[in-house]
Amino acid sequence: MANSAGSRKRARQAEKRRQNNASLRSMVRTYVKKVATAIESGDHAAATAAFVAAQPVMDGAVTKGIYNKNQVARKKSRMNAEIKKLAA
């Protein structure tokens, strides 16, 4: 455990950040899973709606530094391509 007052505070802050980041990461995974489920079921309308809901959540996680912007862009691109396949 940390000894000085400053290092104890840093440890508290790090734990708060860790929990917040874990919560955000989990939320993004949930939204992505909803899109994947809708794609699996073959329902284009539901997949599109889920994707529209997931995009701002994913972009928000990038802004907060949870994910890399290129990683999220790649995931969104791949999900969108799958959704477009459903329409065809």
Side-chain angles (χ1 to χ4, degrees):
M1 183 61 197
N3 291 323
S4 68
S7 57
R8 282 195 295 271
K9 180 177 178 180
R10 271 292 176 199
R12 287 194 308 270
Q13 288 174 333
E15 180 59 20
K16 268 187 189 174
R17 285 194 188 101
R18 186 190 69 77
Q19 289 177 348
N20 191 38
N21 290 345
S23 171
L24 291 169
R25 207 175 297 117
S26 174
M27 185 169 65
V28 169
R29 282 195 208 114
T30 302
Y31 275 89
V32 169
K33 221 176 276 185
K34 286 178 184 174
V35 175
T37 305
I39 291 170
E40 290 284 320
S41 70
D43 187 358
H44 181 262
T48 305
F51 183 62
V52 167
Q55 280 181 310
V57 176
M58 294 169 80
D59 292 335
V62 168
T63 305
K64 293 179 177 106
I66 309 299
Y67 289 106
N68 184 283
K69 67 175 184 170
N70 290 339
Q71 180 186 5
V72 169
R74 183 176 64 244
K75 282 181 184 281
K76 289 193 311 188
S77 176
R78 288 177 181 172
M79 282 192 286
N80 196 30
E82 289 292 321
I83 291 169
K84 283 184 178 178
K85 275 188 204 172
L86 291 178

